[in-house]
Amino acid sequence: MTEVVMARRMSRQKAGAIADGAFKVLLGAVCIAGADPLGRLLGTPAWLMAVSGAALLIGGGAGIGYVRSRSMRTYTRLMVAYDGGWVVAALAGLVMAWQGSGAGGEVWMGYQAVAPLAFAALLAAAAPAPAPARAGSD
């Protein structure tokens, strides 16, 4: 691959990582601001909504903050794991709701309270990305 193609690819990947972090921050702010009405809608206590919102703010902020210093390979793996868990938690919550349980929303929001913090911790613990080679630095 040429350097230009690789640079474009990395730029798109970084934009995706920033967008993922921004989405988490936005979702976190909505969860905090609407903790009571959203909690009633999902059948979860307002405190769980607020805790989940705070965790999403932390996870999203870490995602944005580490975008320059962590490899996109690490980001991609962590985002795929996070989103895969999100899908499983959402499906588990839906199945519980279809079966008449009121705990489906709590399962989903419980995931939102834990997973962003794990994402942020794993991202912080990841090795920094190698510095790009500078042209003419031989």
PDB file of all heavy atoms in Angstrom, residues 58-81:
ATOM      1  N   ILE A  58     -17.136   8.869  30.748  1.00  0.00           N
ATOM      2  CA  ILE A  58     -15.738   8.491  30.984  1.00  0.00           C
ATOM      3  C   ILE A  58     -15.201   7.668  29.821  1.00  0.00           C
ATOM      4  O   ILE A  58     -14.111   7.942  29.295  1.00  0.00           O
ATOM      5  CB  ILE A  58     -15.601   7.730  32.314  1.00  0.00           C
ATOM      6  CG1 ILE A  58     -15.869   8.670  33.484  1.00  0.00           C
ATOM      7  CG2 ILE A  58     -14.221   7.079  32.437  1.00  0.00           C
ATOM      8  CD1 ILE A  58     -16.072   7.969  34.818  1.00  0.00           C
ATOM      9  N   GLY A  59     -15.953   6.651  29.414  1.00  0.00           N
ATOM     10  CA  GLY A  59     -15.506   5.793  28.309  1.00  0.00           C
ATOM     11  C   GLY A  59     -15.366   6.554  27.002  1.00  0.00           C
ATOM     12  O   GLY A  59     -14.395   6.385  26.271  1.00  0.00           O
ATOM     13  N   GLY A  60     -16.334   7.406  26.704  1.00  0.00           N
ATOM     14  CA  GLY A  60     -16.261   8.204  25.479  1.00  0.00           C
ATOM     15  C   GLY A  60     -15.130   9.217  25.511  1.00  0.00           C
ATOM     16  O   GLY A  60     -14.413   9.403  24.530  1.00  0.00           O
ATOM     17  N   GLY A  61     -14.960   9.867  26.671  1.00  0.00           N
ATOM     18  CA  GLY A  61     -13.863  10.831  26.810  1.00  0.00           C
ATOM     19  C   GLY A  61     -12.508  10.165  26.665  1.00  0.00           C
ATOM     20  O   GLY A  61     -11.601  10.696  26.018  1.00  0.00           O
ATOM     21  N   ALA A  62     -12.364   8.972  27.260  1.00  0.00           N
ATOM     22  CA  ALA A  62     -11.101   8.239  27.123  1.00  0.00           C
ATOM     23  C   ALA A  62     -10.879   7.837  25.670  1.00  0.00           C
ATOM     24  O   ALA A  62      -9.759   7.925  25.158  1.00  0.00           O
ATOM     25  CB  ALA A  62     -11.113   6.997  28.017  1.00  0.00           C
ATOM     26  N   GLY A  63     -11.946   7.415  25.008  1.00  0.00           N
ATOM     27  CA  GLY A  63     -11.823   7.036  23.604  1.00  0.00           C
ATOM     28  C   GLY A  63     -11.328   8.185  22.740  1.00  0.00           C
ATOM     29  O   GLY A  63     -10.473   8.009  21.877  1.00  0.00           O
ATOM     30  N   ILE A  64     -11.853   9.363  22.987  1.00  0.00           N
ATOM     31  CA  ILE A  64     -11.420  10.535  22.225  1.00  0.00           C
ATOM     32  C   ILE A  64     -10.008  10.936  22.634  1.00  0.00           C
ATOM     33  O   ILE A  64      -9.164  11.254  21.800  1.00  0.00           O
ATOM     34  CB  ILE A  64     -12.405  11.704  22.429  1.00  0.00           C
ATOM     35  CG1 ILE A  64     -13.761  11.356  21.816  1.00  0.00           C
ATOM     36  CG2 ILE A  64     -11.845  12.991  21.832  1.00  0.00           C
ATOM     37  CD1 ILE A  64     -14.882  12.306  22.202  1.00  0.00           C
ATOM     38  N   GLY A  65      -9.747  10.896  23.925  1.00  0.00           N
ATOM     39  CA  GLY A  65      -8.449  11.346  24.428  1.00  0.00           C
ATOM     40  C   GLY A  65      -7.266  10.498  24.001  1.00  0.00           C
ATOM     41  O   GLY A  65      -6.168  11.013  23.822  1.00  0.00           O
ATOM     42  N   TYR A  66      -7.465   9.224  23.841  1.00  0.00           N
ATOM     43  CA  TYR A  66      -6.360   8.326  23.495  1.00  0.00           C
ATOM     44  C   TYR A  66      -6.215   8.090  21.992  1.00  0.00           C
ATOM     45  O   TYR A  66      -5.354   7.320  21.575  1.00  0.00           O
ATOM     46  CB  TYR A  66      -6.529   6.974  24.187  1.00  0.00           C
ATOM     47  CG  TYR A  66      -6.141   6.987  25.640  1.00  0.00           C
ATOM     48  CD1 TYR A  66      -7.101   6.788  26.634  1.00  0.00           C
ATOM     49  CD2 TYR A  66      -4.829   7.178  26.033  1.00  0.00           C
ATOM     50  CE1 TYR A  66      -6.755   6.791  27.971  1.00  0.00           C
ATOM     51  CE2 TYR A  66      -4.474   7.177  27.367  1.00  0.00           C
ATOM     52  CZ  TYR A  66      -5.442   6.986  28.333  1.00  0.00           C
ATOM     53  OH  TYR A  66      -5.090   6.989  29.656  1.00  0.00           O
ATOM     54  N   VAL A  67      -7.010   8.741  21.175  1.00  0.00           N
ATOM     55  CA  VAL A  67      -7.012   8.429  19.743  1.00  0.00           C
ATOM     56  C   VAL A  67      -5.650   8.670  19.083  1.00  0.00           C
ATOM     57  O   VAL A  67      -5.286   7.965  18.159  1.00  0.00           O
ATOM     58  CB  VAL A  67      -8.146   9.179  18.998  1.00  0.00           C
ATOM     59  CG1 VAL A  67      -7.782  10.624  18.726  1.00  0.00           C
ATOM     60  CG2 VAL A  67      -8.525   8.469  17.727  1.00  0.00           C
ATOM     61  N   ARG A  68      -4.897   9.619  19.573  1.00  0.00           N
ATOM     62  CA  ARG A  68      -3.584   9.900  18.952  1.00  0.00           C
ATOM     63  C   ARG A  68      -2.467   9.032  19.502  1.00  0.00           C
ATOM     64  O   ARG A  68      -1.442   8.881  18.855  1.00  0.00           O
ATOM     65  CB  ARG A  68      -3.219  11.368  19.144  1.00  0.00           C
ATOM     66  CG  ARG A  68      -4.086  12.282  18.347  1.00  0.00           C
ATOM     67  CD  ARG A  68      -3.672  13.703  18.514  1.00  0.00           C
ATOM     68  NE  ARG A  68      -4.620  14.539  17.803  1.00  0.00           N
ATOM     69  CZ  ARG A  68      -4.293  15.620  17.150  1.00  0.00           C
ATOM     70  NH1 ARG A  68      -3.047  16.019  17.132  1.00  0.00           N
ATOM     71  NH2 ARG A  68      -5.205  16.317  16.533  1.00  0.00           N
ATOM     72  N   SER A  69      -2.681   8.496  20.699  1.00  0.00           N
ATOM     73  CA  SER A  69      -1.567   7.789  21.332  1.00  0.00           C
ATOM     74  C   SER A  69      -1.720   6.275  21.379  1.00  0.00           C
ATOM     75  O   SER A  69      -0.840   5.602  21.891  1.00  0.00           O
ATOM     76  CB  SER A  69      -1.376   8.317  22.762  1.00  0.00           C
ATOM     77  OG  SER A  69      -2.518   8.059  23.546  1.00  0.00           O
ATOM     78  N   ARG A  70      -2.815   5.742  20.867  1.00  0.00           N
ATOM     79  CA  ARG A  70      -3.001   4.297  20.839  1.00  0.00           C
ATOM     80  C   ARG A  70      -3.184   3.847  19.405  1.00  0.00           C
ATOM     81  O   ARG A  70      -3.697   4.582  18.566  1.00  0.00           O
ATOM     82  CB  ARG A  70      -4.216   3.868  21.676  1.00  0.00           C
ATOM     83  CG  ARG A  70      -4.129   4.203  23.157  1.00  0.00           C
ATOM     84  CD  ARG A  70      -2.935   3.522  23.803  1.00  0.00           C
ATOM     85  NE  ARG A  70      -2.886   3.714  25.235  1.00  0.00           N
ATOM     86  CZ  ARG A  70      -2.117   4.605  25.851  1.00  0.00           C
ATOM     87  NH1 ARG A  70      -1.349   5.412  25.152  1.00  0.00           N
ATOM     88  NH2 ARG A  70      -2.104   4.677  27.155  1.00  0.00           N
ATOM     89  N   SER A  71      -2.790   2.619  19.124  1.00  0.00           N
ATOM     90  CA  SER A  71      -2.873   2.124  17.754  1.00  0.00           C
ATOM     91  C   SER A  71      -4.335   1.900  17.365  1.00  0.00           C
ATOM     92  O   SER A  71      -5.173   1.563  18.199  1.00  0.00           O
ATOM     93  CB  SER A  71      -2.086   0.824  17.599  1.00  0.00           C
ATOM     94  OG  SER A  71      -2.798  -0.255  18.161  1.00  0.00           O
ATOM     95  N   MET A  72      -4.614   2.076  16.097  1.00  0.00           N
ATOM     96  CA  MET A  72      -5.968   1.849  15.602  1.00  0.00           C
ATOM     97  C   MET A  72      -6.331   0.367  15.673  1.00  0.00           C
ATOM     98  O   MET A  72      -7.491   0.017  15.809  1.00  0.00           O
ATOM     99  CB  MET A  72      -6.116   2.371  14.173  1.00  0.00           C
ATOM    100  CG  MET A  72      -6.222   3.880  14.085  1.00  0.00           C
ATOM    101  SD  MET A  72      -7.686   4.528  14.933  1.00  0.00           S
ATOM    102  CE  MET A  72      -6.984   5.177  16.436  1.00  0.00           C
ATOM    103  N   ARG A  73      -5.343  -0.491  15.629  1.00  0.00           N
ATOM    104  CA  ARG A  73      -5.603  -1.920  15.785  1.00  0.00           C
ATOM    105  C   ARG A  73      -6.175  -2.187  17.181  1.00  0.00           C
ATOM    106  O   ARG A  73      -7.146  -2.930  17.336  1.00  0.00           O
ATOM    107  CB  ARG A  73      -4.315  -2.707  15.561  1.00  0.00           C
ATOM    108  CG  ARG A  73      -4.516  -4.177  15.623  1.00  0.00           C
ATOM    109  CD  ARG A  73      -3.218  -4.910  15.352  1.00  0.00           C
ATOM    110  NE  ARG A  73      -3.540  -6.300  15.115  1.00  0.00           N
ATOM    111  CZ  ARG A  73      -2.828  -7.094  14.379  1.00  0.00           C
ATOM    112  NH1 ARG A  73      -1.739  -6.661  13.799  1.00  0.00           N
ATOM    113  NH2 ARG A  73      -3.181  -8.341  14.221  1.00  0.00           N
ATOM    114  N   THR A  74      -5.584  -1.580  18.186  1.00  0.00           N
ATOM    115  CA  THR A  74      -6.081  -1.723  19.556  1.00  0.00           C
ATOM    116  C   THR A  74      -7.487  -1.146  19.664  1.00  0.00           C
ATOM    117  O   THR A  74      -8.385  -1.768  20.239  1.00  0.00           O
ATOM    118  CB  THR A  74      -5.133  -1.005  20.539  1.00  0.00           C
ATOM    119  OG1 THR A  74      -3.856  -1.628  20.477  1.00  0.00           O
ATOM    120  CG2 THR A  74      -5.667  -1.054  21.960  1.00  0.00           C
ATOM    121  N   TYR A  75      -7.676   0.052  19.138  1.00  0.00           N
ATOM    122  CA  TYR A  75      -8.998   0.680  19.148  1.00  0.00           C
ATOM    123  C   TYR A  75     -10.046  -0.220  18.506  1.00  0.00           C
ATOM    124  O   TYR A  75     -11.121  -0.422  19.060  1.00  0.00           O
ATOM    125  CB  TYR A  75      -8.967   2.001  18.368  1.00  0.00           C
ATOM    126  CG  TYR A  75      -8.920   3.202  19.246  1.00  0.00           C
ATOM    127  CD1 TYR A  75      -7.710   3.771  19.589  1.00  0.00           C
ATOM    128  CD2 TYR A  75     -10.083   3.781  19.734  1.00  0.00           C
ATOM    129  CE1 TYR A  75      -7.660   4.884  20.388  1.00  0.00           C
ATOM    130  CE2 TYR A  75     -10.043   4.891  20.527  1.00  0.00           C
ATOM    131  CZ  TYR A  75      -8.823   5.444  20.853  1.00  0.00           C
ATOM    132  OH  TYR A  75      -8.784   6.538  21.647  1.00  0.00           O
ATOM    133  N   THR A  76      -9.722  -0.731  17.339  1.00  0.00           N
ATOM    134  CA  THR A  76     -10.693  -1.541  16.608  1.00  0.00           C
ATOM    135  C   THR A  76     -11.078  -2.776  17.400  1.00  0.00           C
ATOM    136  O   THR A  76     -12.269  -3.097  17.521  1.00  0.00           O
ATOM    137  CB  THR A  76     -10.125  -1.938  15.234  1.00  0.00           C
ATOM    138  OG1 THR A  76      -9.810  -0.742  14.512  1.00  0.00           O
ATOM    139  CG2 THR A  76     -11.120  -2.763  14.443  1.00  0.00           C
ATOM    140  N   ARG A  77     -10.116  -3.450  17.960  1.00  0.00           N
ATOM    141  CA  ARG A  77     -10.413  -4.643  18.750  1.00  0.00           C
ATOM    142  C   ARG A  77     -11.288  -4.308  19.954  1.00  0.00           C
ATOM    143  O   ARG A  77     -12.248  -5.021  20.255  1.00  0.00           O
ATOM    144  CB  ARG A  77      -9.123  -5.309  19.204  1.00  0.00           C
ATOM    145  CG  ARG A  77      -8.401  -6.007  18.078  1.00  0.00           C
ATOM    146  CD  ARG A  77      -7.131  -6.626  18.563  1.00  0.00           C
ATOM    147  NE  ARG A  77      -6.509  -7.366  17.482  1.00  0.00           N
ATOM    148  CZ  ARG A  77      -5.332  -7.930  17.570  1.00  0.00           C
ATOM    149  NH1 ARG A  77      -4.645  -7.849  18.693  1.00  0.00           N
ATOM    150  NH2 ARG A  77      -4.826  -8.592  16.548  1.00  0.00           N
ATOM    151  N   LEU A  78     -10.950  -3.238  20.656  1.00  0.00           N
ATOM    152  CA  LEU A  78     -11.736  -2.860  21.831  1.00  0.00           C
ATOM    153  C   LEU A  78     -13.139  -2.410  21.447  1.00  0.00           C
ATOM    154  O   LEU A  78     -14.111  -2.732  22.143  1.00  0.00           O
ATOM    155  CB  LEU A  78     -11.014  -1.769  22.626  1.00  0.00           C
ATOM    156  CG  LEU A  78      -9.747  -2.220  23.354  1.00  0.00           C
ATOM    157  CD1 LEU A  78      -9.033  -1.027  23.992  1.00  0.00           C
ATOM    158  CD2 LEU A  78     -10.070  -3.275  24.402  1.00  0.00           C
ATOM    159  N   MET A  79     -13.270  -1.673  20.351  1.00  0.00           N
ATOM    160  CA  MET A  79     -14.596  -1.229  19.920  1.00  0.00           C
ATOM    161  C   MET A  79     -15.456  -2.410  19.476  1.00  0.00           C
ATOM    162  O   MET A  79     -16.649  -2.455  19.770  1.00  0.00           O
ATOM    163  CB  MET A  79     -14.492  -0.180  18.802  1.00  0.00           C
ATOM    164  CG  MET A  79     -14.040   1.176  19.318  1.00  0.00           C
ATOM    165  SD  MET A  79     -14.155   2.519  18.117  1.00  0.00           S
ATOM    166  CE  MET A  79     -13.038   2.008  16.847  1.00  0.00           C
ATOM    167  N   VAL A  80     -14.861  -3.371  18.787  1.00  0.00           N
ATOM    168  CA  VAL A  80     -15.614  -4.553  18.365  1.00  0.00           C
ATOM    169  C   VAL A  80     -16.070  -5.345  19.595  1.00  0.00           C
ATOM    170  O   VAL A  80     -17.227  -5.785  19.667  1.00  0.00           O
ATOM    171  CB  VAL A  80     -14.777  -5.434  17.405  1.00  0.00           C
ATOM    172  CG1 VAL A  80     -15.388  -6.801  17.226  1.00  0.00           C
ATOM    173  CG2 VAL A  80     -14.625  -4.731  16.061  1.00  0.00           C
ATOM    174  N   ALA A  81     -15.196  -5.510  20.573  1.00  0.00           N
ATOM    175  CA  ALA A  81     -15.567  -6.225  21.794  1.00  0.00           C
ATOM    176  C   ALA A  81     -16.672  -5.478  22.538  1.00  0.00           C
ATOM    177  O   ALA A  81     -17.658  -6.084  22.981  1.00  0.00           O
ATOM    178  CB  ALA A  81     -14.347  -6.402  22.687  1.00  0.00           C
TER     179      ALA A  81
END
